[in-house]
Each structure stands twice: as structure tokens, then as C-alpha cells.
Amino acid sequence: MIKRFLHKIFGRKVAPAKLEAHTVPGHTAHKPAKVRGTKKTGKGPLVVQVEEHGIDPKLVSTNAIRVTKGLQDAGFKAFLVGGAVRDLLLGIKPKDFDVATDATPEQIVKLFRRARIIGRRFQLVHVMFGSDTIETSTFRANQPHNAEKDEHGRVLRDNVFGSQLDDAARRDFTVNALFYDPASQVVIDYHHGVADVKAKMMRIIGGPEQRYREDPVRMLRAVRFAAKLGFEIDDATRAPIARLAPLIENVPSARLFDEMLKLFFSGHALACLKRLRAEGLHHGVLPLLDVVLEQPKGERFVTLALESTDERIRIGKPASPSFLFACLLWHEVLKAWEENKTRGDYPIPALNAAMDSVLDAQTEKLAIQRRYASDMREIWGLQPRLERRNGRSPYKLLEHLRFRAGYDFLLLRCEADETDAALGDWWTRFIDADAAGREALQLEAAGAPSSAGAAPNKRKRHRRKPAASKVDTAAGENTGDVIE
Ligand code: ATP
Ligand code: MG
């Protein structure tokens, strides 16, 4: 009976005796809250039953179940793992599902019709069902002592398969190290993650300092999950963060950029940013953000931009990274623009030079990819052009590929009291108006005082065609890069 039960949970290949032999290296030294209804097999993991964890099977994707079942039917262990289990425990529908198994990548691909091995350094398998992909990986081990590292202890290469126990220990936080078997509906818990989910606590697995040195991005992940889930960060997990924050600077910028995207598009960007600042982590990540947030006007604008991004994500609307990054850096552009004009540059060349200097400073650190940078330039470059409402100018702008983004950006500027709200309102009416309505609006604009604001639209004396077209040539195709 017991054998059958364990067989059901752990798959056919595992003898129950194996479970009992486990010790948990690097186990976080804390007294976990008690989780009732669990079984502990010797020093092995907690086996948490459905009555206790309460996961609603309806929240589990049928494709993920197909993968675990396919693997289990072939005699392998297979579990849902990571963020999906954490979210299921919280009653949140996971946005994606990862599977962990003791099958090798080659064994996995043989079992599914549409599956392919990806990754060179550490291979994993994408099992595809229509547009849905279930990322399926072989249990792997964290071997910090043998792994290749940089001079600060950052692990450069770790690509060894391991046991399920190893796989739990190599994960970052206790709440991210849970395994769920949809067939038996049990959660396998090596690090008291279920108790930590209940206690709403982010707790790193193993020694915090060593784990952050191995991978400094874990500090950002601690903050992101805490902000997104409304969790606390455990004292020991939190303590070394401020001191080790400079290690973030050694992380390759492309990886940092990916993490920032996750953070800003988590639906809780504002909360994440506040936490980043509270933990002293924002410096190395987005160096100019600190300056921006300390200018009262800049702070309002950035806050509004983050709020609107959060809102879009939460209601399932697409949001564009270039738009958000354009917002975050706008006040830096404004500052440099003003400086360049004071130095005597014409407005449009002054704006182009300002955009260059701000983007250069950021790309060094954050790898803002070229496609984002070109969209950002267009959004910024549209701002002075939106001030011109006479002649063909507004009609041409309506056809501009990035008009919508430029207009949305203008509305945010109005909302932040940076520019006259009447200008945004005028555009809103102009977009909807028929031909006669548009003519009337142009007449109205001709009689209206020029809108106030930071943009140097008032200097209309300098209508230097080549300079204006420099803004135009920044127009790449509308990549429509959005996070959905
Ligand atoms: P999200 O909801 O953002 O997808 P997630 O927990 O699923 O959250 P992923 O980045 O998708 O995060 O990673 C999947 C799992 O892989 C994590 O739950 C964690 O167990 C493990 N993991 C990811 N990044 C790290 C890391 N830097 N160090 C250790 N384990 C990690
Ligand atoms: Mg995930």
C-alpha cells in the first residue's frame, strides 16, 4: 500500500528507501511554521497532502498535466515546479508552467510529438501544444565548489544533472523549490516552502551571502517576488543585500535587462521600485533612476508611468518596454536638452544630442537594445512636434507609426502637470474629429496661447528642416514590442 502510494508520487523508478536516505544540504536554518497534514519520511521531504495545501486542480494547465503524465507513464518522475507551484498555493493562476523530471533531454523529446531541445550550456526541452510551451528540465544540481566562478564568486557555469533533492537545493527561495504532482495532488517540500508561502515569507535556500555571490540577480528576484506577492523578506535573507548590492554590476547587462523587464512588467512595478530603493539595489541597475526619482516633477511623471503600466498588465493589456523606458528617462533627456539649449544649440539638434547622451549612459549598464532605443527616440522626438498644430503638421503626425505612443506619452506629461492639459485634450479631440471638426480645431489652436511646458516649442523661429528630419530619420519600423 505504502509502496504503491510512493510509487504513485515519485514515479516507478524510485525505491521508497531512497526517500529516507535524504538529508538536505544547505537547508535554511529556521524554525518553520507547522504545516498540518504532512508526512515526513525520515530526513526526506515533507509530503503535503491536498487537504493541507488546498491547490485547486482546475488552475493547472491541461498541457502541463499532459507532460507530467506522459513522463510518468514512461516510468519517470515528473512534477510541476518553481513559480507555478508557488502561485498555485496562493490560489493564483500561474502564467506559465515548468516541469522537472529525472528523464534526460533526449528521453523527454522522444515522448512528445512536438518537443525540441534548447540551450547549449544547460539543455532543457520545450514541449509544445499549439502556442503553449511547457518548459521541461532534467533535475540538476548546484555544485558551487566545483563550478567555474568569477573573482566575486559568481557562478559562470553549472551544468550537472542531479537528483530531485539536488534540484530543490539549487533553487533560489524556499517558496520556489516546491514540486507538485498533479496525478496524486501532493506537494513535495524539501525546504519548508509550503510553510513559508503560508507565512508570506521570502527565504533563501542555503547561506544568503554565498547564494547571492553565486548569482547576484537573486537579490533582485527577492525584491521582485516580495513586491509582487506582498511577502516579507526574512531577516537573514535580507541582511546582506545592501552590502552585496554592488555585485549586481558584474552581472552581464543582457541578463540584467531581462530581469528588469520582468520587474517592470510584473504588474507591480511601482511596488518593486520602492522596494529596490529601500534595499539600496537601484543604483547598479538603472543608474539614472535615482536622480530621476529625486526630482519632484520627475517623480510624479515616473510614478504615473509605472502606475499606468501596472494597470495595463493587470487588466491584460499589452505594454511596451520602449514606452516605459522612455518615461523613466524622460527627465534626464529634458535636463540634458535644456543644458544643450543654454549652450546655444538649436532646439532639435539639442534634443538629438540629449537623447544620445542619455541613451549612451544607459546602454552601457542596461543593454537597452537598439530596437527599444530607436522607439524611445521617436517617442521623445514626437513631443516637440505634437506642439505644432498648424498646417499639415498634425495630419502628418497622425500617420506617424509611433503617433499613438507619442500621444500617450503627451497625455502622461499633461497628467503630471508638465505641460498644459489643453494640448493633450486638443489632440484627443483632433483624433476623433471629422474633417470639418479638425479645421475648427486648428482655428481654435491658432487663437490659443502656445502651450506651456518644458518643450521648446515656443522657439518656432528655428525651423531648420535638416534638423527636424534628423528626428524623422530616427524612425525605425514600429516594432510594436509589447509585453503581454
Ligand atoms: P515568475 O512568476 O516570475 O515566472 P518563477 O519563480 O517561475 O517566477 P522563473 O524565472 O520562471 O521564476 O524561474 C523558475 C524557477 O527556476 C524558479 O521558481 C526557481 O526555482 C528557479 N530559478 C530561477 N532563477 C533562479 C536563480 N537565479 N537561482 C536559483 N534558482 C532560480
Ligand atoms: Mg516562471
Side-chain angles (χ1 to χ4, degrees), residues 51-65:
E51 309 82 64
E52 178 54 28
H53 61 65
I55 286 179
D56 177 358
K58 289 201 284 296
L59 292 179
V60 182
S61 110
T62 47
N63 292 334
I65 295 173

PDB file of all heavy atoms in Angstrom, residues 51-65:
ATOM      1  N   GLU A  51      -5.485  18.128   1.272  1.00  0.00           N
ATOM      2  CA  GLU A  51      -6.330  18.751   2.321  1.00  0.00           C
ATOM      3  C   GLU A  51      -5.565  19.898   2.976  1.00  0.00           C
ATOM      4  O   GLU A  51      -6.169  20.844   3.464  1.00  0.00           O
ATOM      5  CB  GLU A  51      -6.698  17.757   3.441  1.00  0.00           C
ATOM      6  CG  GLU A  51      -7.285  16.423   3.010  1.00  0.00           C
ATOM      7  CD  GLU A  51      -6.212  15.425   2.594  1.00  0.00           C
ATOM      8  OE1 GLU A  51      -5.404  15.041   3.451  1.00  0.00           O
ATOM      9  OE2 GLU A  51      -6.186  15.061   1.400  1.00  0.00           O
ATOM     10  N   GLU A  52      -4.257  19.768   3.003  1.00  0.00           N
ATOM     11  CA  GLU A  52      -3.463  20.798   3.652  1.00  0.00           C
ATOM     12  C   GLU A  52      -3.090  21.937   2.701  1.00  0.00           C
ATOM     13  O   GLU A  52      -3.254  23.118   3.009  1.00  0.00           O
ATOM     14  CB  GLU A  52      -2.194  20.166   4.240  1.00  0.00           C
ATOM     15  CG  GLU A  52      -1.268  21.155   4.908  1.00  0.00           C
ATOM     16  CD  GLU A  52      -1.945  21.993   5.976  1.00  0.00           C
ATOM     17  OE1 GLU A  52      -2.940  21.537   6.599  1.00  0.00           O
ATOM     18  OE2 GLU A  52      -1.507  23.127   6.182  1.00  0.00           O
ATOM     19  N   HIS A  53      -2.596  21.595   1.504  1.00  0.00           N
ATOM     20  CA  HIS A  53      -2.126  22.695   0.652  1.00  0.00           C
ATOM     21  C   HIS A  53      -3.266  23.341  -0.133  1.00  0.00           C
ATOM     22  O   HIS A  53      -3.187  24.499  -0.526  1.00  0.00           O
ATOM     23  CB  HIS A  53      -0.995  22.240  -0.281  1.00  0.00           C
ATOM     24  CG  HIS A  53      -1.353  21.159  -1.245  1.00  0.00           C
ATOM     25  ND1 HIS A  53      -2.270  21.335  -2.247  1.00  0.00           N
ATOM     26  CD2 HIS A  53      -0.906  19.878  -1.373  1.00  0.00           C
ATOM     27  CE1 HIS A  53      -2.362  20.216  -2.957  1.00  0.00           C
ATOM     28  NE2 HIS A  53      -1.553  19.310  -2.436  1.00  0.00           N
ATOM     29  N   GLY A  54      -4.334  22.578  -0.358  1.00  0.00           N
ATOM     30  CA  GLY A  54      -5.541  23.161  -0.948  1.00  0.00           C
ATOM     31  C   GLY A  54      -5.412  23.630  -2.390  1.00  0.00           C
ATOM     32  O   GLY A  54      -6.205  24.464  -2.845  1.00  0.00           O
ATOM     33  N   ILE A  55      -4.446  23.115  -3.144  1.00  0.00           N
ATOM     34  CA  ILE A  55      -4.305  23.559  -4.547  1.00  0.00           C
ATOM     35  C   ILE A  55      -5.536  23.152  -5.346  1.00  0.00           C
ATOM     36  O   ILE A  55      -5.990  22.002  -5.286  1.00  0.00           O
ATOM     37  CB  ILE A  55      -3.033  22.952  -5.188  1.00  0.00           C
ATOM     38  CG1 ILE A  55      -1.798  23.662  -4.625  1.00  0.00           C
ATOM     39  CG2 ILE A  55      -3.064  23.078  -6.715  1.00  0.00           C
ATOM     40  CD1 ILE A  55      -0.471  23.142  -5.151  1.00  0.00           C
ATOM     41  N   ASP A  56      -6.073  24.096  -6.085  1.00  0.00           N
ATOM     42  CA  ASP A  56      -7.244  23.832  -6.917  1.00  0.00           C
ATOM     43  C   ASP A  56      -6.768  23.229  -8.245  1.00  0.00           C
ATOM     44  O   ASP A  56      -6.135  23.926  -9.045  1.00  0.00           O
ATOM     45  CB  ASP A  56      -7.971  25.171  -7.153  1.00  0.00           C
ATOM     46  CG  ASP A  56      -9.174  25.020  -8.066  1.00  0.00           C
ATOM     47  OD1 ASP A  56      -9.438  23.884  -8.546  1.00  0.00           O
ATOM     48  OD2 ASP A  56      -9.852  26.044  -8.303  1.00  0.00           O
ATOM     49  N   PRO A  57      -7.082  21.960  -8.496  1.00  0.00           N
ATOM     50  CA  PRO A  57      -6.567  21.314  -9.725  1.00  0.00           C
ATOM     51  C   PRO A  57      -7.044  22.025 -10.994  1.00  0.00           C
ATOM     52  O   PRO A  57      -6.399  21.914 -12.047  1.00  0.00           O
ATOM     53  CB  PRO A  57      -7.135  19.891  -9.666  1.00  0.00           C
ATOM     54  CG  PRO A  57      -7.773  19.743  -8.339  1.00  0.00           C
ATOM     55  CD  PRO A  57      -7.954  21.083  -7.727  1.00  0.00           C
ATOM     56  N   LYS A  58      -8.125  22.771 -10.879  1.00  0.00           N
ATOM     57  CA  LYS A  58      -8.633  23.470 -12.070  1.00  0.00           C
ATOM     58  C   LYS A  58      -7.688  24.581 -12.544  1.00  0.00           C
ATOM     59  O   LYS A  58      -7.785  25.058 -13.671  1.00  0.00           O
ATOM     60  CB  LYS A  58     -10.026  24.060 -11.781  1.00  0.00           C
ATOM     61  CG  LYS A  58     -11.099  22.980 -11.666  1.00  0.00           C
ATOM     62  CD  LYS A  58     -12.488  23.520 -11.901  1.00  0.00           C
ATOM     63  CE  LYS A  58     -13.043  24.309 -10.734  1.00  0.00           C
ATOM     64  NZ  LYS A  58     -13.258  23.539  -9.486  1.00  0.00           N
ATOM     65  N   LEU A  59      -6.797  25.013 -11.643  1.00  0.00           N
ATOM     66  CA  LEU A  59      -5.856  26.072 -12.032  1.00  0.00           C
ATOM     67  C   LEU A  59      -4.652  25.522 -12.793  1.00  0.00           C
ATOM     68  O   LEU A  59      -3.810  26.275 -13.284  1.00  0.00           O
ATOM     69  CB  LEU A  59      -5.363  26.830 -10.792  1.00  0.00           C
ATOM     70  CG  LEU A  59      -6.392  27.683 -10.037  1.00  0.00           C
ATOM     71  CD1 LEU A  59      -5.753  28.336  -8.819  1.00  0.00           C
ATOM     72  CD2 LEU A  59      -6.973  28.756 -10.954  1.00  0.00           C
ATOM     73  N   VAL A  60      -4.566  24.187 -12.848  1.00  0.00           N
ATOM     74  CA  VAL A  60      -3.393  23.577 -13.510  1.00  0.00           C
ATOM     75  C   VAL A  60      -3.675  23.394 -14.997  1.00  0.00           C
ATOM     76  O   VAL A  60      -4.737  22.879 -15.379  1.00  0.00           O
ATOM     77  CB  VAL A  60      -3.061  22.204 -12.870  1.00  0.00           C
ATOM     78  CG1 VAL A  60      -1.828  21.603 -13.531  1.00  0.00           C
ATOM     79  CG2 VAL A  60      -2.846  22.363 -11.375  1.00  0.00           C
ATOM     80  N   SER A  61      -2.727  23.794 -15.812  1.00  0.00           N
ATOM     81  CA  SER A  61      -2.944  23.706 -17.261  1.00  0.00           C
ATOM     82  C   SER A  61      -2.991  22.255 -17.708  1.00  0.00           C
ATOM     83  O   SER A  61      -2.222  21.413 -17.233  1.00  0.00           O
ATOM     84  CB  SER A  61      -1.834  24.469 -17.998  1.00  0.00           C
ATOM     85  OG  SER A  61      -0.976  23.604 -18.680  1.00  0.00           O
ATOM     86  N   THR A  62      -3.901  21.958 -18.627  1.00  0.00           N
ATOM     87  CA  THR A  62      -4.033  20.573 -19.089  1.00  0.00           C
ATOM     88  C   THR A  62      -2.773  20.153 -19.849  1.00  0.00           C
ATOM     89  O   THR A  62      -2.394  18.988 -19.814  1.00  0.00           O
ATOM     90  CB  THR A  62      -5.262  20.407 -20.004  1.00  0.00           C
ATOM     91  OG1 THR A  62      -5.240  21.465 -20.948  1.00  0.00           O
ATOM     92  CG2 THR A  62      -6.552  20.444 -19.235  1.00  0.00           C
ATOM     93  N   ASN A  63      -2.116  21.113 -20.495  1.00  0.00           N
ATOM     94  CA  ASN A  63      -0.884  20.761 -21.210  1.00  0.00           C
ATOM     95  C   ASN A  63       0.226  20.361 -20.243  1.00  0.00           C
ATOM     96  O   ASN A  63       0.991  19.436 -20.509  1.00  0.00           O
ATOM     97  CB  ASN A  63      -0.417  21.928 -22.074  1.00  0.00           C
ATOM     98  CG  ASN A  63      -1.389  22.177 -23.224  1.00  0.00           C
ATOM     99  OD1 ASN A  63      -2.080  21.250 -23.651  1.00  0.00           O
ATOM    100  ND2 ASN A  63      -1.448  23.408 -23.698  1.00  0.00           N
ATOM    101  N   ALA A  64       0.294  21.060 -19.119  1.00  0.00           N
ATOM    102  CA  ALA A  64       1.306  20.701 -18.119  1.00  0.00           C
ATOM    103  C   ALA A  64       1.023  19.287 -17.611  1.00  0.00           C
ATOM    104  O   ALA A  64       1.943  18.480 -17.417  1.00  0.00           O
ATOM    105  CB  ALA A  64       1.288  21.707 -16.979  1.00  0.00           C
ATOM    106  N   ILE A  65      -0.260  18.989 -17.422  1.00  0.00           N
ATOM    107  CA  ILE A  65      -0.625  17.640 -16.948  1.00  0.00           C
ATOM    108  C   ILE A  65      -0.264  16.591 -17.998  1.00  0.00           C
ATOM    109  O   ILE A  65       0.220  15.510 -17.679  1.00  0.00           O
ATOM    110  CB  ILE A  65      -2.132  17.575 -16.592  1.00  0.00           C
ATOM    111  CG1 ILE A  65      -2.401  18.506 -15.405  1.00  0.00           C
ATOM    112  CG2 ILE A  65      -2.561  16.137 -16.276  1.00  0.00           C
ATOM    113  CD1 ILE A  65      -3.864  18.666 -15.042  1.00  0.00           C
TER     114      ILE A  65
END
